[in-house]
Amino acid sequence: MSALQNKAALVTGGSRGIGKAIALVLADNGANVAFTYKSAAAAADEVVKAIEAKGRKALAIQSDAKNFSEANSVVEKVIAQFQRLDILVNNAGITKDTLLMRMSEQDWDDVIDTNLKGAFNFSKAVCKQMMSQREGVIINISSIAGVIGNPGQTNYAAAKAGLIGMTKTLAKELSSRNIRVNAVAPGFVDTDMTEKLTPQQKEALIGMIPLKRTAKPEEIASVVLFLASQASSYVTGQVLCVDGGLVM
């Protein structure tokens, strides 16, 4: 039997990059998967087809993570479709990088609202269902930027550090109902975000990583799978850095 047989999962920001890899690995391991996307409808359709090709149910819902009422609506739709909700992966995120002295208030608000408030919105929305089931898993996609900081990413690092504090607190609040809450902190991953780097920047970056390479999105997804499954049944309130040894 698959590790997540007949479990129902919701991944925010699941149409590309790390979110897409997470959605697919959860489906590979038996889960029915719903995911949100902000604007990439064609990409979302492709992910739906890929999940269904694995013999699992798929549901793509257009939603802006920072909108509180939309988050509630998404969760209601997922429960109506799947009759339960076992796994929430708070992955939706954006970057608006620049040095603090040049950062606009809008740049700050947009990143905090999407990356941190978005996780609050969805976590709050799933709590009631998971508490009534007396089981559930919430996994927050943080970043090593939230652990060690990163120049030019004050907004992003603050949001991702906030996610770590939220993870530990929620883990304490929900543990009595058998709901586990953990965070994954990726290092540098081959996604749209790292494609913007110049070859020189990439070379300098790889020089700092003990494993001498960036990660594939699937390598982040496999750690999410571990945290979503019974293989990690005694793990809660933890932050797993998946970073090739960058933070140690």
Side-chain angles (χ1 to χ4, degrees), residues 139 180 221-233 235 240:
I139 300 162
R180 298 185 296 107
S222 63
V223 176
V224 172
L225 172 64
F226 163 69
L227 291 173
S229 74
Q230 280 301 300
S232 62
S233 56
V235 179
L240 288 182

Side-chain angles (χ1 to χ4, degrees), residues 116 120 123 127 138 140 161-176 179-183 236-239:
L116 182 55
F120 159 77
S123 298
C127 270
I138 297 172
N140 296 317
L163 269 181
I164 290 171
M166 182 176 150
T167 298
K168 292 172 184 287
T169 302
L170 258 187
K172 290 181 175 179
E173 288 184 7
L174 298 175
S175 58
S176 65
I179 300 165
R180 298 185 296 107
V181 188
N182 291 290
T236 196
Q238 300 305 304
V239 183

Side-chain angles (χ1 to χ4, degrees), residues 26-153:
L26 296 179
D28 271 333
N29 285 271
N32 296 315
V33 182
F35 65 93
T36 66
Y37 67 97
K38 192 174 178 186
S39 56
D45 286 342
E46 291 301 314
V47 178
V48 166
K49 285 175 190 158
I51 292 168
E52 289 176 344
K54 299 174 190 297
R56 310 313 309 166
K57 293 177 187 166
L59 179 64
I61 306 169
Q62 188 167 16
S63 171
D64 188 345
K66 61 180 182 276
N67 187 307
F68 182 77
S69 61
E70 279 186 26
N72 281 298
S73 169
V74 168
V75 169
E76 283 168 12
K77 285 176 187 168
V78 175
I79 294 165
Q81 182 89 353
F82 298 152
Q83 281 70 62
R84 57 185 297 115
L85 184 47
D86 303 284
I87 301 154
L88 168 66
V89 183
N90 284 310
N91 168 72
I94 59 169
T95 54
K96 292 201 172 182
D97 296 352
T98 189
L99 296 173
L100 181 68
M101 62 187 294
R102 298 195 192 112
M103 188 176 289
S104 69
E105 183 181 10
Q106 195 66 53
D107 290 342
W108 173 270
D109 287 348
D110 286 348
V111 171
I112 296 290
D113 285 352
T114 301
N115 299 20
L116 182 55
K117 187 185 174 219
F120 159 77
N121 291 343
F122 278 92
S123 298
K124 185 169 169 62
V126 304
C127 270
K128 193 173 173 186
Q129 177 68 22
M130 288 185 175
M131 287 172 83
S132 68
Q133 291 171 187
R134 298 194 82 82
E135 67 172 340
V137 177
I138 297 172
I139 300 162
N140 296 317
I141 306 302
S142 180
S143 167
I144 58 163
V147 180
I148 58 172
N150 196 30
Q153 289 195 312

